[in-house]
Amino acid sequence: RGIWDPDEGRYTNVAMHMLDSGDWLVPHRSEEVAHWTKPPLTYWAIAASVEVFGRNPWAARFPAALSYLLCAWLCFRMARRLAPGSERLAALVFATMLLPFGAAQLITTDFLLAACEGLALWGSVEARFGHGRHARRWLALMWAGFGLAFLAKGPPGLLPLLAVFVFDALTPADGAGRQ
């Protein structure tokens, strides 16, 4: 299908201006009008995909679809740590949910945000419940994921960090994954 206005058209338009102008730092809707309503990660992902796969709706939607697959894989990885043996079911349940499946076919910031936050939460889960000798690496992944989430949506991308802090404060550490 074609690009739907207004949202898909706006995100794609800004990404195309990045490609055409070579300016990947200042998002523009036109030559004269800068577009500062969203952080740049979604625009960068769309522009990179279009650069690789061509100027077509499929290429513009590819980052969302890839983010959907990453989210399913992250469900698998977190379930492997938290509920061993249920990882395939967890990924399957996520992948077959109607809303995520449908959202993966839209050009928005939302699925890229979900993938970044999922990456951050995977790092947090591994740091907390995994092997202690790699906890710092997992925490670095968590912070990188939250940094990318901020680049995808701005301050709302950091909201799951509050849940991580509250969980960490309210649950006693058993020594595994903690230093």
Side-chain angles (χ1 to χ4, degrees):
R1 67 178 169 78
I3 302 293
W4 289 344
D5 279 329
D7 292 336
E8 286 190 324
R10 182 177 58 251
Y11 293 126
T12 305
N13 176 263
V14 172
M16 295 303 100
H17 274 283
M18 285 183 169
L19 280 176
D20 293 341
S21 70
D23 184 357
W24 290 61
L25 295 180
V26 179
H28 283 86
R29 292 210 50 191
S30 69
E31 298 279 330
E32 303 82 31
V33 179
H35 184 70
W36 294 104
T37 60
K38 298 284 184 188
L41 187 61
T42 301
Y43 306 132
W44 292 341
I46 294 167
S49 178
V50 167
E51 181 72 12
V52 171
F53 299 112
R55 292 180 182 241
N56 59 69
W58 179 90
R61 288 187 181 95
F62 183 69
L66 193 59
S67 296
Y68 165 75
L69 294 174
L70 178 59
C71 285
W73 182 76
L74 290 167
C75 284
F76 178 91
R77 298 301 303 182
M78 285 186 271
R80 177 175 270 180
R81 175 62 62 206
L82 297 173
S86 68
E87 54 268 11
R88 286 187 178 135
L89 180 61
L92 180 66
V93 166
F94 175 81
T96 57
M97 290 176 143
L98 187 57
L99 187 59
F101 182 77
Q105 299 173 45
L106 298 173
I107 302 170
T108 69
T109 59
D110 298 333
F111 235 116
L112 197 55
L113 171 67
C116 295
E117 289 177 337
L119 188 66
L121 293 177
W122 179 42
S124 174
V125 164
E126 290 293 342
R128 178 70 190 243
F129 300 106
H131 303 292
R133 68 179 184 267
H134 298 296
R136 287 201 169 131
R137 290 182 189 165
W138 290 112
L139 287 174
L141 179 67
M142 179 191 80
W143 286 111
F146 280 124
L148 290 170
F150 188 84
L151 283 173
K153 196 75 168 186
L158 302 179
L159 287 175
L161 186 56
L162 295 174
V164 170
F165 287 153
V166 169
F167 179 82
D168 229 22
L170 296 178
T171 56
D174 61 0
R178 307 289 278 180
Q179 293 188 354

